[in-house]
Amino acid sequence: MKIGTVHFNIILLLAGLLTGCSSLSGDKKELSTIELHLESSPDDPAFSEPVPIYRAHPAYVNVSRLAFLDERDLEQAAVVDWMGGFAIQLVFNEHGQLVLENTTRSNPSHRIAVLAGFGESRWLAAPLVNRPITDGQFTFTPDATREEAERIVRGLTNTIAQLKK
């Protein structure tokens, strides 16, 4: 199996961030990762896979194996009050905003599956996006407790700070 060197180097960087590698940080802060994957056709299993969304009653959504956005394009993350509950709001930088807008404009009525790494790796949501997201903000209700959502956001905030160094 061939893995591109760029992809491999990103994996090494993220592994270092997740383990709190001393060469990347002086202390062992909580770190998190996040990936957005576009819903795709199951026609080619080499490029897509079904993933479970919602732990209590999993619904499988077929998504691209490659993320179209991740924490490298995040400006900030927050837990926000949302419709009587809470949600995670991701705010992307200029590049991330452009990618998010182009992806949602080119793929109307597709789901965006969210994979988070925060000590464990878990699919958190797959909201259906019916219109282009033009403001660079992606807000979703996660399959997580509020404490888990706060842990994910805290880790993303630390990861963003580490990546900016």
Side-chain angles (χ1 to χ4, degrees):
M1 181 166 134
K2 260 171 101 172
I3 298 177
T5 55
V6 172
H7 187 68
F8 182 71
N9 287 337
I10 291 168
I11 291 170
L12 283 178
L13 173 65
L14 292 176
L17 288 174
L18 287 174
T19 59
C21 178
S22 61
S23 65
L24 295 175
S25 71
D27 55 11
K28 296 214 178 216
K29 291 182 178 178
E30 295 175 316
L31 298 170
S32 300
T33 60
I34 199 108
E35 294 180 354
L36 302 186
H37 294 255
L38 186 64
E39 181 178 24
S40 65
S41 168
D43 293 340
D44 191 349
F47 296 105
S48 64
E49 66 181 322
V51 299
I53 308 296
Y54 305 117
R55 291 170 292 165
H57 302 285
Y60 284 83
V61 176
N62 206 70
V63 300
S64 170
R65 289 182 185 267
L66 297 176
F68 68 92
L69 278 175
D70 62 30
E71 64 282 344
R72 293 172 296 170
D73 285 309
L74 270 181
E75 281 292 320
Q76 68 181 52
V79 175
V80 295
D81 292 327
W82 183 264
M83 301 172 73
F86 67 93
I88 294 177
Q89 183 177 67
L90 306 175
V91 179
F92 290 94
N93 63 20
E94 188 176 337
H95 176 261
Q97 181 176 347
L98 182 63
V99 171
L100 185 60
E101 180 175 353
N102 287 338
T103 301
T104 55
R105 187 175 304 281
S106 301
N107 299 282
S109 300
H110 279 69
R111 295 181 181 278
I112 295 177
V114 181
L115 177 65
F118 56 105
E120 67 177 286
S121 184
R122 189 164 83 212
W123 294 95
L124 297 179
L128 182 66
V129 180
N130 289 317
R131 64 181 193 278
I133 300 173
T134 59
D135 63 359
Q137 294 184 23
F138 183 72
T139 303
F140 64 95
T141 304
D143 178 22
T145 64
R146 187 173 196 105
E147 291 76 25
E148 288 173 324
E150 289 170 353
R151 160 58 179 98
I152 292 164
V153 166
R154 217 173 27 251
L156 286 172
T157 300
N158 292 336
T159 299
I160 292 165
Q162 288 293 330
L163 290 171
K164 286 185 176 181
K165 285 185 180 180

